[in-house]
Amino acid sequence: MVEMTVTGLALDASNHSPIVLLRDASGRRQVPIWIDNSQAHNIIAGLKREQSDRPLTHDLIISLLVAAELSLSKVIIHAIEDNAFKAVLKLRSNKSTDSESKNTHDKDKPLIEIKARPSDAIALAIRTKCSIWMLEQVVSEASIPVNEEADAEDQNEFKRFLDDLRPADLIRHLKKSHQVDKEPPESPQSNSDKEG
């Protein structure tokens, strides 16, 4: 398995869909994962360490894990099926029972595995600072080579974007994209009328 880090978010030039970028430790391979706007918002909120009186879903999930005495040990992106990445959360129980030996280390406890969308898994990993892993086969299949200079500029631009991002701007963007999705396509008749 290959440990990956979140290097930023980008926009697909063709359709303006957000893309989360994961990079391997060598810095030579990067895996793009297309996500939707709400998933991008959750990842950005985690990267910016935003605290809110009204927690986002991923903050709520972490609170539930804590209440259940579970912790997120690691995230594994393990497959690509039908052009979609597959991921699992590996959870560790923090409960100790009387029957457990006092010499049992946390690493010896079995991990609980839960299926998750990669975007949700990444948003949780960012908030809990746990590691993100990807099977080598997935990295080989989905990675793109990295251009160091262009990537450094992209990272600086992304940091400027995060620094300047206001919640109102994101809400406006989400509303605008939602309205575009709802607009019916033009009929061929109306197009020919406009051209003629």
Side-chain angles (χ1 to χ4, degrees):
M1 282 197 296
V2 180
E3 188 168 9
M4 307 294 283
T5 56
V6 177
T7 57
L9 274 80
L11 286 177
D12 186 321
S14 63
N15 60 12
H16 301 291
S17 293
I19 304 168
V20 62
L21 301 170
L22 301 177
R23 184 173 297 170
D24 70 0
S26 72
R28 292 192 300 261
R29 297 182 298 176
Q30 188 161 266
V31 176
I33 300 177
W34 276 255
I35 57 178
D36 66 29
N37 287 324
S38 62
Q39 295 165 337
H41 171 72
N42 285 319
I43 291 172
I44 289 169
L47 289 169
K48 291 183 81 171
R49 305 275 179 226
E50 290 178 349
Q51 298 293 325
S52 172
D53 292 337
R54 301 179 63 203
L56 294 172
T57 303
H58 298 88
D59 300 314
L60 173 63
I61 291 169
I62 292 169
S63 296
L64 291 171
L65 289 175
V66 170
E69 297 185 53
L70 295 168
S71 59
L72 183 57
S73 177
K74 60 184 162 184
V75 163
I76 301 174
I77 301 171
H78 61 88
I80 304 175
E81 296 173 9
D82 299 323
N83 294 320
F85 289 87
K86 304 290 181 180
V88 292
L89 306 176
K90 293 286 194 167
L91 305 176
R92 186 178 309 282
S93 174
N94 298 325
K95 294 180 185 177
S96 58
T97 62
D98 294 335
S99 62
E100 283 183 355
S101 166
K102 291 182 179 179
N103 295 331
T104 302
H105 298 289
D106 283 346
K107 67 179 180 177
D108 297 329
K109 292 182 182 179
L111 295 177
I112 301 163
E113 186 174 291
I114 298 178
K115 292 179 183 178
R117 294 185 305 182
S119 58
D120 291 328
I122 291 166
L124 289 169
I126 289 168
R127 285 166 170 78
T128 60
K129 299 180 182 176
C130 84
S131 57
I132 301 170
W133 295 85
M134 191 174 281
L135 263 59
E136 175 61 44
Q137 178 182 348
V138 176
V139 176
S140 297
E141 185 178 336
S143 67
I144 55 176
V146 175
N147 177 332
E148 292 293 332
E149 289 180 22
D151 193 56
E153 179 55 36
D154 286 346
Q155 280 185 344
N156 290 334
E157 186 175 328
F158 179 67
K159 286 176 186 172
R160 287 191 297 273
F161 169 74
L162 285 180
D163 290 340
D164 296 339
L165 183 68
R166 296 176 306 173
D169 296 335
L170 188 57
I171 291 168
R172 270 195 299 278
H173 175 73
L174 290 174
K175 284 181 180 176
K176 182 179 174 186
S177 66
H178 186 66
Q179 287 171 346
V180 169
D181 291 342
K182 285 188 169 184
E183 289 179 5
E186 292 182 0
S187 67
Q189 179 64 36
S190 64
N191 282 339
S192 63
D193 288 346
K194 286 180 183 176
E195 292 172 5

